[in-house]
């Protein structure tokens, strides 16, 4: 399936344990699915930052258990994407796979937007998911 802008998709990601590195406006996690690629010219530190509060302008489909507000540096939480109906805001394939400093490198990027945020500035309304790498993100088309 090659998603097109405006398509509706069901997105999910199996849960995994992640250690909290820092908290604040964002929660910083040691990302459980990627490995630092030491051969890359990009220096990814193994962390991903997720906005803590969906009421802010930034949004992410990832959910944390326990809730981000209760977490502190050093805590372990579960990160996942429960099955969520989203719109495709953008889709791009990477030939060759995109070098971001982690392995395996993603082969596509899917920018997803929840239905309730489609009227916001697209730069902040959604979230870029990287596909074809090690993040176990599942994307299924929705046919109404």
């Amino acid at each position: 399936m090659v998603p097109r802008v405006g398509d509706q998709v069901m997105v999910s990601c199996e849960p995994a344990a992640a250690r909290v590195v820092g908290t604040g406006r964002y929660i910083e996690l040691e990302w459980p699915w990627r490995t630092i690629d030491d051969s890359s010219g990009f220096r990814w530190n193994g962390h991903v930052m997720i906005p803590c509060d969906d009421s802010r302008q930034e949004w992410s489909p990832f959910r944390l258990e326990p809730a981000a507000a209760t977490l502190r540096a050093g805590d372990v939480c579960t990160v996942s994407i429960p099955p969520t109906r989203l719109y495709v805001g953008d889709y791009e394939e990477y030939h060759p796979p995109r070098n971001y400093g982690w392995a395996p490198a993603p082969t596509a990027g899917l920018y997803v937007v929840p239905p309730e945020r489609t009227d916001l500035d697209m730069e902040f309304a959604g979230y870029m998911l990287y596909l074809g790498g090690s993040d176990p993100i599942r994307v299924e088309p929705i046919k109404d």
Side-chain angles (χ1 to χ4, degrees):
M1 170 194 110
V2 176
R4 295 180 313 215
V5 172
D7 284 354
Q8 288 191 41
V9 291
M10 186 66 69
V11 175
S12 62
C13 182
E14 292 297 318
R19 190 175 71 78
V20 177
V21 177
T23 60
R25 184 174 175 191
Y26 298 90
I27 190 154
E28 186 174 359
L29 303 172
E30 285 182 353
W31 206 238
W33 297 294
R34 301 174 192 159
T35 303
I36 295 172
D37 181 357
D38 291 326
S39 69
S40 172
F42 295 99
R43 294 290 142 216
W44 180 60
N45 65 2
H47 302 170
V48 169
M49 297 180 75
I50 297 174
C52 287
D53 183 359
D54 283 346
S55 66
R56 297 183 191 266
Q57 191 171 7
E58 297 97 347
W59 170 86
S60 170
F62 287 99
R63 297 295 168 251
L64 304 175
E65 287 292 327
T70 67
L71 295 169
R72 302 290 174 255
D75 289 349
V76 174
C77 66
T78 300
V79 61
S80 68
I81 302 175
T84 307
R85 185 181 201 123
L86 300 169
Y87 284 96
V88 174
D90 192 25
Y91 176 78
E92 52 190 27
E93 291 186 359
Y94 308 139
H95 301 287
R98 184 72 48 94
N99 179 358
Y100 285 118
W102 67 73
T107 57
L110 177 69
Y111 189 76
V112 292
V113 180
E116 66 273 12
R117 295 178 64 91
T118 56
D119 61 340
L120 299 177
D121 177 355
M122 284 299 285
E123 183 179 351
F124 299 105
Y127 191 89
M128 181 65 83
L129 297 170
Y130 295 100
L131 309 176
S134 56
D135 296 11
I137 296 169
R138 184 179 178 115
V139 179
E140 299 174 25
I142 293 176
K143 302 206 186 327
D144 285 333

